[in-house]
Amino acid sequence: RDLAMGRWVKQGMTPEDLGFVGDVDEVFSRDFLLALMTCDIPQFRSGQDCKRPKVSGKTLVFETAPDCVTENRVWYHPDLILGECLERIGDSS
């Protein structure tokens, strides 16, 4: 958490930006990312209480190859989180 926060701040992240939390093989589609730029998404409105400030992807799970989709398994990653709420990650209050 501290490492990610430090890097985001060093790179100039602002409260209006979104933080991407995921592995290199976890990506959102181009269409989803374009929609983020134009759609009003309640989780990313500024001035909120930060209780639910993120959106998680829901993806298929592949075992060893793209043609080996596992049955009855989904993965809820990657995540996007509102910049103004990042400092509250892990804070129970």
Side-chain angles (χ1 to χ4, degrees):
R1 175 193 173 294
D2 291 334
L3 181 62
M5 281 297 305
R7 288 184 179 176
W8 282 334
V9 169
K10 188 176 179 179
Q11 295 298 319
M13 186 173 200
T14 67
E16 294 82 28
D17 291 328
L18 299 177
F20 176 88
V21 181
D23 293 333
V24 69
D25 63 340
E26 299 169 346
V27 296
F28 288 110
S29 70
R30 178 180 181 272
D31 290 338
F32 179 80
L33 295 174
L34 289 172
L36 283 174
M37 295 169 56
T38 57
C39 296
D40 176 33
I41 301 170
Q43 291 90 332
F44 300 142
R45 291 181 187 152
S46 63
Q48 60 171 291
D49 61 10
C50 293
K51 290 187 186 265
R52 299 193 184 274
K54 75 174 191 171
V55 169
S56 296
K58 180 180 176 185
T59 62
L60 298 172
V61 177
F62 298 94
E63 295 290 341
T64 69
D67 58 346
C68 297
V69 179
T70 60
E71 298 281 330
N72 303 318
R73 278 184 69 196
V74 292
W75 189 249
Y76 292 97
H77 291 288
D79 302 320
L80 290 172
I81 186 166
L82 183 61
E84 73 181 59
C85 298
L86 283 170
E87 291 185 9
R88 298 182 187 179
I89 294 175
D91 182 359
S92 60
S93 59

